[in-house]
Amino acid sequence: MSGAGRGPRPWRGGAEPSESSPEPPSPSSSRPPPSDTSPSPSEETTPPPHGPAHGRGGAATHPAPPEAGLACDRNLALFEEELATRPRVPALLRRIAPYSALSPDSDDGHAPRRLLGTLRGVAVPSLQTLLGLVLVLRLPWVVGTGGVLQATAIGLLLGACAVLTAVSLSAIATNGLDPGGCPLGLLSGALGPEAGGAVGLCAFLSAAFAAAAAALGAAEILLVYVAPQAAVLPGRGRGARLNNGRGYGAGLLGLLGLGAAAPPAARAAPLGPAGLLLALLGLQAGALRAALPGGPPHALCLPAQPGGRLQPCPTARPHGAGDNGTQGVRPAFPGPSARLLAQNLWPRPPEPGLGEGPGGAEDDDNDSSFGVLLGLSLPTASGVLWGCSRSGELRDIARSVPAGSLGAAVATALGYLSAALLLGASVEGQLLRDKFGGSLRGTPVAGAASWPSPWVPLAGALLSAAGAGLQALLGGSRLLRGLARTRALPLPHALGRGRLWPLVATAAVAELGVLLGSLDLLAPVLSVFWLTSYLGVNLACALQGLLPTPGWSPRCRLYHWAQSEWGEGLRGLSLSAARFALLRLEDGQPPAPSWRPQLLVLLKLDEELRVRQPQLLALAAQLQAGKGLTVVGSVIPGDLPQDQPRARAAERALREGLAGAGARGFVQVLVAPARGPGLAALVQGCGLGALRPNAVLMGWPHGWRRRHDPTAARRFVELLRVAGAGGRALLVAKGPLGAGAPGGTLDVWWVVGDGRLLTLLPLLLRQHPAWRGCRVRLFTVALLEDNSVRLRRLLEAVARRRGLPAQTHVVELHDSDVSAYTYERTLMMEQRSQMLRQMRQAQRGPAPSQAPSAGEEEEEEEEGGAPRRGPSPGNVRRMHAAERLNEAVGRCSGGPAGAAGPAPRPPGPRPLDNYLEFLEVLTEGLGPVLLVRGGDGDPPGP
């Protein structure tokens, strides 16, 4: 509900400002509507009605005096100490829900973006590869030298590499947040800064050398087939060819750099896919025309000696009537046939005279081993990572990246295989091994086999080179800019700002590749960088799948790594690995996506050393699901070394309890003179280095009211304070949570705090088979000044981003008067607390040097020092808030399998007995409840 039309409410007590407080603007969201920013309604104090008031039991009670000193809304008074440092859920949702996937790494960060679909946003960048260039310049030589079998094996390897990497990239893109701008942001966000930086560096080098390969390939087309007379740079033989390649390649690389610096609208043309389509269609049309009856006669025949020029056939013979033997002449392009395919099936060594390069120079790089052929072909599958190059501008990244990347990978593999099979079945092997088409008088073999003109595949190769070069320069500059901004490498700060300097640096690195002067020399180096970057992506995804964390939950259906348990190794090796891992963990806190609760379970043992609350062990096993750190601790009152045998027996009992619950972990039993200080020492000192629990799981002290020990409640609250002060998260289970098959629903109540731990617990529980079929519902509280409709939309956005499959609900808590029953219940609670204090003083004697706590002073005296005749206003508003929240939870969460909600901050500077009373009222009449409070070790952010 909005608070329009009512006066502003002053916010006091250090709590977080209301919705009208200014917030930093988000790039993807506009200002909130007026109903959301209207002033909060003023707080009016309404006295209770005169006359007898009836409580819940129907008994008449005394009239309630007016409230005084209200520091926050009455409905959240139970959390008023919490609100001083932790925000309310509406304000927090308004900060983290508006999220723009367009990061500063995007080229269009300051322009209004147009959301892209799968075809233009993913498939086109993925197909901006060198496949069209390699298909025209080198694939005929690969098929003729290595044979159809090796070419097919290379095509299958390329397809497998591209498809596997596309699946891994799809898993990364569908995991958690939608990072935008460049592949580095996506990789670092899902795999961590180390893996993202390493893969990003290899991908940057491969992108720079891919731009160099595009420039060298285009220079070869110009110097060999288009304008051979332009090869005027000095040199002899192979040196002249390399010099001309370096000179013209540098010039073409400069043109590509100018094209990459152009506005985005001018370089958005799909040049690479268009060039590949031209080359493939021309080749297929030529094969089809030669295979049809009544096709053209075989105009050219092979020369008698290898290396000679193709001559016109002496007689024009009908189609298909060519001489199939070794006698007479053989047509160079007889058309598709099984005979020719079988003849070109096996590898053949290159014949002398077939390697004549530009200017009549003999090519001495005719090594035809499988590794060389594979190195020449691998750059054709270099476009998988570019599928996420525009991830920040995609309409639906979770759907577009898998479909576009996998489709482009499959299309690349099919294009390579189809072209290799067509060439092997349509062209004589002697002509295929003519690398530069010297016997065709300056026409490429793929061009002579195409229809309607040899210029069709040449134009396609040039378009493919232009598209691949532009995409490589743009992608490399984005990667370099991301590396400079994340400080993954000691790079100049200028590379992290703007688009010009990263583009210039990428072109300068590409120039190093151009200096090689030949596509044959550069392709193996480029292949190594591409394979290294692909290996990094696949290996990182494999490790994330084998060692799953809550932050790794890809939604891609094709991605799956089998769960495995690592076996035992040599003990010395295990200790060395453990020491290395512990020292590695000391470097810093884990990133937010990989944070998960590492549990310290505090248990009590009876006189016979049996576990009193075995359901806590079952809950710990369900939370960890066989992963993570679990330490089960207990304290035995006594002295060492007399009670050492009992401690060993207690350790055995705890291990048996762990095994019975199906959990794996460690056991620690502490012998101390008193249980309270022993538990505090266990919470503070448990663990080794950074391998220590960050969350404490304990049971609820059900008998604290019935015990004759007046310090039991205070010991429990003191333990909560110690755990919170040590940065540990708190999980307090009340009821049989974790016992048996839950079923039903799991309700999460997000009232204050960032909610990271609250929303993480259902994800962890649903990994266990016992909770897998449990539905999750996420609730939050809307007060009078909150817009419930907008708050629910924000809650849905945050739940979707955190990967929580939950139904979202907003419960409205309107302002209401404090009932007389609440005043009477608060008065009875204070009388009980006073009696407990008197019992404690009688046990330990007077202690004049110890000052009473702030809460005790508030209960005993008024502001002027006179004795108080009624309940404390602070306790009254806390009791009222606990009753209202309990009523809301009971109304909306009837009969769930379990409910999780925030635990208020334990009071200070000394614990009060009233804290447990408030929690009892908060959870009264509910089913199993898990009270949750995040510690200082909680992950920040959304």
Side-chain angles (χ1 to χ4, degrees):
M1 296 179 60
S2 63
R6 302 189 63 178
R9 173 192 303 174
W11 201 274
R12 303 184 299 272
E16 185 176 281
S18 65
E19 292 186 12
S20 59
S21 60
E23 299 176 6
S26 172
S28 63
S29 63
S30 58
R31 298 288 299 172
S35 60
D36 295 335
T37 58
S38 57
S40 303
S42 61
E43 182 174 86
E44 299 175 359
T45 304
T46 305
H50 297 285
H54 296 279
R56 296 185 182 180
T61 58
H62 299 287
E67 291 185 289
L70 187 61
C72 67
D73 195 284
R74 276 186 297 223
N75 295 299
L76 296 182
L78 187 61
F79 302 93
E80 60 184 1
E81 291 87 358
E82 193 87 357
L83 292 175
T85 56
R86 294 174 180 255
R88 285 204 311 112
V89 174
L92 184 69
L93 289 176
R94 284 192 300 274
R95 285 204 301 268
I96 65 178
Y99 173 77
S100 173
L102 193 62
S103 73
D105 292 337
S106 177
D107 292 338
D108 307 327
H110 301 287
R113 55 175 180 156
R114 209 174 103 197
L115 297 180
L116 302 177
T118 303
L119 184 61
R120 187 180 174 189
V122 180
V124 169
S126 299
L127 289 173
Q128 299 273 27
T129 66
L130 298 170
L131 177 57
L133 186 69
V134 173
L135 187 148
V136 175
L137 295 183
R138 294 294 182 267
L139 186 58
W141 182 78
V142 170
V143 175
T145 305
V148 176
L149 283 181
Q150 287 195 12
T152 304
I154 291 174
L156 293 177
L157 286 176
L158 294 179
C161 179
V163 168
L164 288 178
T165 309
V167 171
S168 298
L169 187 67
S170 303
I172 296 172
T174 57
N175 178 61
L177 293 176
D178 299 340
C182 74
L184 181 65
L186 192 146
L187 295 171
S188 299
L191 307 179
E194 296 86 359
V199 176
L201 178 60
C202 293
F204 163 72
L205 293 175
S206 60
F209 285 151
L216 288 177
E220 182 177 323
I221 292 177
L222 293 176
L223 295 175
V224 177
Y225 305 112
V226 178
Q229 66 277 6
V232 295
L233 294 181
R236 283 188 174 183
R238 183 169 178 262
R241 181 167 61 87
L242 295 180
N243 289 335
N244 283 278
R246 293 177 185 125
Y248 284 92
L252 292 174
L253 181 63
L255 293 178
L256 289 175
L258 292 177
R267 48 178 163 81
L271 302 178
L276 175 60
L277 191 61
L278 269 180
L280 285 176
L281 288 180
L283 185 63
Q284 292 171 356
L288 182 62
R289 184 170 181 266
L292 289 176
H298 306 298
L300 296 177
C301 291
L302 294 178
Q305 297 294 330
R309 303 272 181 170
L310 266 69
Q311 303 296 329
C313 293
T315 57
R317 289 162 292 177
H319 174 78
D323 190 359
N324 295 335
T326 58
Q327 300 177 357
V329 292
R330 290 180 297 165
F333 305 98
S337 65
R339 174 199 63 82
L340 196 55
L341 182 64
Q343 182 180 339
N344 293 329
L345 201 61
W346 306 103
R348 296 288 182 89
E351 292 91 344
L354 289 182
E356 189 174 292
E362 186 74 16
D363 185 68
D364 54 0
D365 294 329
N366 280 335
D367 184 6
S368 59
S369 62
F370 182 78
V372 171
L373 301 181
L374 181 62
L376 285 174
S377 303
L378 273 175
T380 60
S382 59
V384 177
L385 283 182
W386 304 138
C388 61
S389 61
R390 307 184 71 178
S391 59
E393 304 167 32
L394 294 176
R395 186 177 296 106
D396 187 358
I397 188 174
R399 184 181 64 179
S400 296
V401 171
S405 298
L406 287 171
V410 173
T412 301
L414 291 179
Y416 186 94
L417 288 172
S418 63
L421 292 175
L422 277 177
L423 288 172
S426 304
V427 184
E428 283 286 345
Q430 180 180 334
L431 182 59
L432 289 173
R433 289 184 286 277
D434 191 355
K435 195 173 194 178
F436 296 101
S439 58
L440 291 170
R441 295 178 177 85
T443 302
V445 176
S450 300
W451 184 83
S453 169
W455 291 101
V456 172
L458 283 176
L462 287 174
L463 288 176
S464 180
L470 289 174
Q471 181 65 53
L473 287 176
L474 289 172
S477 63
R478 285 173 176 160
L479 287 169
L480 186 61
R481 186 163 61 242
L483 290 171
R485 285 178 175 173
T486 58
R487 309 307 300 166
L489 293 175
L491 297 173
H493 291 280
L495 296 179
R497 297 190 294 268
R499 293 194 296 116
L500 179 60
W501 287 113
L503 184 59
V504 170
T506 306
V509 176
E511 182 61 33
L512 299 178
V514 172
L515 293 179
L516 293 177
S518 171
L519 187 62
D520 298 326
L521 298 177
L522 181 59
V525 181
L526 175 60
S527 301
V528 169
F529 284 124
W530 276 121
L531 286 179
T532 306
S533 60
Y534 284 7
L535 176 64
V537 173
N538 291 309
L539 184 60
C541 288
L543 291 179
Q544 291 276 14
L546 292 172
L547 305 173
T549 60
W552 181 250
S553 56
R555 290 167 285 170
C556 179
R557 297 181 180 179
L558 297 178
Y559 178 83
H560 175 71
W561 282 96
Q563 300 287 332
S564 67
E565 295 289 341
W566 297 101
E568 297 290 335
L570 297 177
R571 185 172 181 81
L573 181 61
S574 300
L575 291 176
S576 299
R579 175 183 175 275
F580 175 79
L582 286 174
L583 294 177
R584 186 76 172 83
L585 288 176
E586 289 290 335
D587 293 342
Q589 293 292 333
S594 62
W595 191 94
R596 68 178 298 150
Q598 314 296 339
L599 297 177
L600 169 62
V601 187
L602 298 181
L603 294 177
K604 291 184 180 179
L605 302 176
D606 56 14
E607 296 298 330
E608 299 179 0
L609 299 180
R610 292 178 300 187
V611 178
R612 289 186 179 180
Q613 294 176 315
Q615 67 272 13
L616 289 181
L617 293 176
L619 179 60
Q622 294 166 3
L623 279 171
Q624 298 294 48
K627 299 175 285 291
L629 175 67
T630 302
V631 180
V632 180
S634 184
V635 173
I636 297 178
D639 295 318
L640 289 176
Q642 291 86 356
D643 292 317
Q644 189 67 25
R646 294 188 70 243
R648 297 289 179 262
E651 289 180 356
R652 291 193 296 270
L654 292 179
R655 288 194 181 93
E656 292 175 359
L658 267 175
R664 301 184 63 183
F666 305 94
V667 169
Q668 187 168 355
V669 175
L670 190 65
V671 179
R675 190 183 301 273
L679 289 174
L682 185 60
V683 170
Q684 296 180 65
C686 181
L688 177 62
L691 189 66
R692 60 177 64 246
N694 56 19
V696 178
L697 174 61
M698 64 182 75
W700 180 260
H702 291 280
W704 68 277
R705 287 176 174 171
R706 300 188 300 270
R707 289 198 189 115
H708 297 290
D709 185 4
T711 62
R714 298 177 70 88
R715 283 202 307 267
F716 179 78
V717 180
E718 183 67 30
L719 180 59
L720 296 183
R721 291 186 58 220
V722 170
R728 311 305 194 262
L730 293 173
L731 305 173
V732 181
K734 183 179 181 183
L737 194 65
T745 60
L746 175 62
D747 292 345
V748 179
W749 284 81
W750 186 5
V751 181
V752 295
D754 61 1
R756 167 64 66 177
L757 183 57
L758 272 172
T759 54
L760 179 61
L761 290 177
L763 294 175
L764 297 177
L765 287 174
R766 283 169 58 89
Q767 295 181 7
H768 195 272
W771 294 84
R772 194 159 295 161
C774 205
R775 293 187 298 111
V776 180
R777 296 186 298 182
L778 180 60
F779 294 86
T780 192
V781 173
L783 301 181
L784 186 63
E785 66 269 19
D786 296 326
N787 188 325
S788 301
V789 176
R790 183 171 182 266
L791 183 59
R792 180 172 181 180
R793 289 199 301 266
L794 297 176
L795 190 64
E796 289 176 351
V798 173
R800 183 168 56 253
R801 183 177 314 144
R802 294 185 176 179
L804 182 62
Q807 302 175 1
T808 56
H809 303 273
V810 176
V811 179
E812 297 184 354
L813 289 183
H814 302 291
D815 199 7
S816 62
D817 298 332
V818 179
S819 65
Y821 172 76
T822 303
Y823 282 94
E824 182 176 353
R825 190 169 187 175
T826 307
L827 184 61
M828 294 175 60
M829 176 190 69
E830 293 182 353
Q831 292 175 354
R832 186 185 302 110
S833 300
Q834 184 179 5
M835 181 181 63
L836 291 176
R837 284 197 300 272
Q838 292 175 357
M839 294 176 61
R840 286 195 296 269
Q841 291 177 0
Q843 288 180 357
R844 66 172 182 261
S849 61
Q850 185 176 12
S853 66
E856 292 173 350
E857 291 178 350
E858 184 184 31
E859 293 173 4
E860 294 175 357
E861 296 181 352
E862 290 183 349
E863 295 180 359
R868 180 179 297 280
R869 296 183 179 180
S872 165
N875 288 336
V876 169
R877 62 176 176 262
R878 294 186 185 95
M879 183 68 74
H880 174 73
E883 289 179 347
R884 293 297 311 280
L885 289 175
N886 174 264
E887 179 185 355
V889 175
R891 181 177 67 252
C892 301
S893 299
R905 173 182 295 174
R910 292 174 53 196
L912 297 177
D913 306 318
N914 300 334
Y915 180 77
L916 280 182
E917 187 71 37
F918 292 138
L919 294 186
E920 287 281 6
V921 175
L922 180 64
T923 58
E924 184 180 15
L926 304 178
V929 176
L930 184 65
L931 298 175
V932 180
R933 174 173 173 77
D936 296 337
D938 264 2

